[in-house]
């Protein structure tokens, strides 16, 4: 497959449908092609930030600092816990299956003294559909990691950002100074594309290991049924299934990292498309399919 051909198809498709795209990167095997509609400046990648948080957890697991089975009461020892909330694990928080009914998002105000405490003081409630998507879940997972490593963003600098040549990114923080985690990370399209390439290549960047291949695979296997409709039917650890055979990091208004492992491809999109943001992902999958069929 030809990255330039896929890029050309997508630029034409996005323009024909009048989608508000900022930047586009296509990497297939060792070839990269990119296009910009606006300058490549750092911008909020919204819930794609969750994928960076998942990478952080994977690095910490590789280092023996934390595990998917680590519970909230093992790390956040000064918290008061609702019934069963202390036994919530990192895995449950990253997969949005904590069974704590607390939906909060990064653009919402924080009217409580401590966002993590507000979530964890509530009881776990068993249900047939435990999935509840919330930035608060990722935030608590980052608080758990922060209790072990200190400031998570600073801890990531030598482990992720420096190896990928991403200088000191800005990340929105709560009133207590902790990163929001599930949203608010600001990256350029070109920087996000490097994270996409890291995921496509199983945790390696330019021949160096950043996070284990096993962890990247775990981020999208197995899938949790969400009870939702397309394109939100299955969730992994900060990832979504689809479209087609792809898996993705997905942020509001059209922020995407779309990984196609079978074709050694990754497509990265930044945008501000308020009406049809998921059309961007559909067109990306269609462009890969068309280019593959044309060969």
């Amino acid at each position: 497959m030809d990255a330039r051909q896929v890029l050309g198809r997508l630029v034409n498709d996005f323009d024909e449908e009048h989608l508000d795209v900022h930047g586009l990167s296509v990497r297939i095997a060792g070839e990269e092609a990119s296009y910009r509609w606006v300058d490549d400046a750092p911008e909020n990648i919204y819930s794609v930030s969750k994928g960076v948080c998942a990478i952080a957890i994977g690095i910490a697991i590789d280092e023996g600092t934390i595990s998917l089975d680590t519970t909230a009461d093992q790390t956040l020892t000064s918290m008061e816990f609702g019934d069963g909330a202390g036994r919530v694990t990192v895995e449950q928080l990253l997969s949005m299956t904590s069974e704590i009914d607390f939906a909060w998002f990064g653009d919402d105000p924080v009217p409580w003294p401590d966002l993590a405490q507000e979530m964890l003081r509530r009881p776990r409630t068993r249900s047939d559909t435990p999935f509840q998507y919330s930035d608060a879940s990722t935030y608590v997972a980052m608080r758990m990691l922060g209790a072990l490593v200190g400031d998570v963003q600073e801890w990531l600098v030598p482990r992720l950002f420096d190896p990928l040549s991403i200088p000191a990114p800005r990340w929105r923080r709560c009133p207590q100074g902790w990163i929001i985690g599930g949203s608010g990370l600001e990256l350029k399209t070109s920087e996000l594309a490097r994270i996409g390439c890291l995921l496509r290549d199983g945790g390696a960047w330019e021949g160096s290991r950043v996070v284990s291949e096993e962890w990247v695979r775990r981020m999208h296997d197995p899938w949790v049924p969400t009870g939702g409709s397309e394109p939100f039917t299955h969730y992994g650890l900060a990832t979504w299934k689809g479209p087609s055979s792809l898996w993705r990091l997905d942020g509001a208004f059209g922020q995407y990292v779309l990984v196609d492992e079978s074709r050694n491809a990754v497509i990265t999109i930044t945008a501000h498309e308020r009406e049809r943001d998921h059309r961007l992902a559909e067109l990306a999958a269609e462009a890969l399919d068309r280019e593959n069929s044309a060969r």
Side-chain angles (χ1 to χ4, degrees):
M1 295 181 70
D2 189 319
R4 290 167 296 180
Q5 292 289 337
V6 173
L7 181 88
R9 290 177 186 271
L10 279 175
V11 170
N12 182 70
D13 290 346
F14 292 166
D15 286 346
E16 275 195 352
E17 298 201 17
H18 305 288
L19 298 167
D20 188 359
V21 189
H22 290 176
L24 169 66
S25 171
V26 178
R27 296 190 181 211
I28 300 176
E31 183 183 22
E32 176 187 4
S34 61
Y35 187 87
R36 297 213 58 79
W37 287 260
V38 300
D39 290 341
D40 192 12
E43 53 190 303
N44 190 350
I45 59 172
Y46 294 97
S47 286
V48 173
S49 307
K50 294 179 175 66
V52 178
C53 293
I55 293 170
I57 291 292
I59 294 170
I61 289 174
D62 291 343
E63 294 182 358
T65 303
I66 203 168
S67 78
L68 281 176
D69 295 327
T70 300
T71 58
D73 58 8
Q74 290 175 319
T75 55
L76 303 175
T77 55
S78 64
M79 296 281 177
E80 296 179 5
F81 297 100
D83 185 21
R87 296 189 295 277
V88 166
T89 66
V90 169
E91 180 175 12
Q92 290 165 334
L93 290 164
L94 291 183
S95 63
M96 305 292 168
T97 57
S98 71
E99 298 180 320
I100 300 174
D101 185 10
F102 187 68
W104 178 90
F105 295 94
D107 289 337
D108 295 340
V110 185
W112 313 283
D114 188 320
L115 180 61
Q117 176 62 91
E118 184 63 23
M119 179 173 176
L120 293 171
R121 74 171 182 82
R122 303 176 182 220
R124 297 180 74 184
T125 56
R126 297 285 177 181
S127 67
D128 294 334
T129 55
F131 182 86
Q132 184 187 59
Y133 190 73
S134 172
D135 288 356
S137 290
T138 314
Y139 171 79
V140 172
M142 291 299 96
R143 286 287 299 272
M144 291 170 64
L145 179 57
L148 301 172
V149 304
D151 187 278
V152 172
Q153 181 177 346
E154 293 179 2
W155 178 83
L156 276 175
V157 167
R159 293 168 171 82
L160 176 66
F161 296 130
D162 280 353
L164 271 59
S165 299
I166 300 174
R170 180 181 173 185
W171 205 326
R172 184 184 172 191
R173 293 174 179 265
C174 74
Q176 290 193 326
W178 298 97
I179 60 168
I180 292 297
S183 186
L185 177 61
E186 296 183 3
L187 294 175
K188 298 178 179 180
T189 314
S190 56
E191 294 168 344
L192 184 58
R194 292 171 213 153
I195 291 174
C197 196
L198 176 78
L199 293 174
R200 182 202 66 176
D201 293 345
W205 172 253
E206 295 185 341
S208 296
R209 177 64 51 191
V210 174
V211 66
S212 67
E213 185 174 6
E214 292 77 12
W215 177 254
V216 175
R217 187 180 306 114
R218 178 62 188 85
M219 286 175 64
H220 60 100
D221 182 19
W223 295 108
V224 173
T226 67
S229 57
E230 293 288 353
F232 302 111
T233 59
H234 292 83
Y235 196 73
L237 301 180
T239 64
W240 293 94
K241 186 178 182 180
S244 187
S245 61
L246 282 63
W247 57 274
R248 70 188 192 274
L249 307 182
D250 183 328
F253 310 125
Q255 324 313 315
Y256 286 109
V257 172
L258 299 139
V259 181
D260 186 340
E261 293 173 326
S262 65
R263 296 165 183 159
N264 198 17
V266 59
I267 294 176
T268 306
I269 303 167
T270 58
H272 197 71
E273 175 53 48
R274 289 185 171 272
E275 301 297 329
R276 296 185 298 142
D277 54 339
H278 287 284
R279 183 63 178 146
L280 297 167
E282 293 171 355
L283 288 170
E286 290 171 11
L288 287 170
D289 286 342
R290 292 202 308 268
E291 176 64 17
N292 191 59
S293 299
R295 295 186 66 197

